[in-house]
Amino acid sequence: MRLDEWETLTAELRRFGHAGDLTVTDDRISIDFGSARVELSRDGTLRTGMPLHDFRYDGAVAVVVDHHAGTITVDADAVRYSFRRPDG
């Protein structure tokens, strides 16, 4: 999904974040799992954090939500990053 598919992306991340503390605004989606967190803004800023590392990327991204694997993968020109939900 692309960021211009915000409503669809929001629905998918709500489903992905079922086990976490989910916050959705007009321009930001944030999920806090306690030991890990992920936040995506409509302008393309991605922030994640978990024990031992944090990640941040600013720019246009494509987002792939895999509910079965419990991952969010972000594809951008310069980076491919996967966030794994703590509960799998």
Side-chain angles (χ1 to χ4, degrees), residues 5-67:
E5 300 172 279
W6 191 251
E7 288 76 24
T8 303
L9 185 56
T10 299
E12 289 297 311
L13 289 175
R14 280 183 191 274
R15 183 174 161 210
F16 181 84
H18 68 88
D21 182 14
L22 183 77
T23 304
V24 178
T25 66
D26 288 341
D27 65 346
R28 187 172 312 277
I29 303 166
S30 168
I31 310 168
D32 187 338
F33 294 102
S35 63
R37 62 180 167 26
V38 62
E39 180 179 296
L40 181 64
S41 70
R42 197 173 209 155
D43 69 2
T45 300
L46 171 75
R47 292 183 183 108
T48 67
M50 59 190 69
L52 303 180
H53 91 273
D54 289 318
F55 177 80
R56 179 183 171 125
Y57 182 79
D58 295 310
V61 296
V63 179
V64 177
V65 180
D66 185 333
H67 298 288

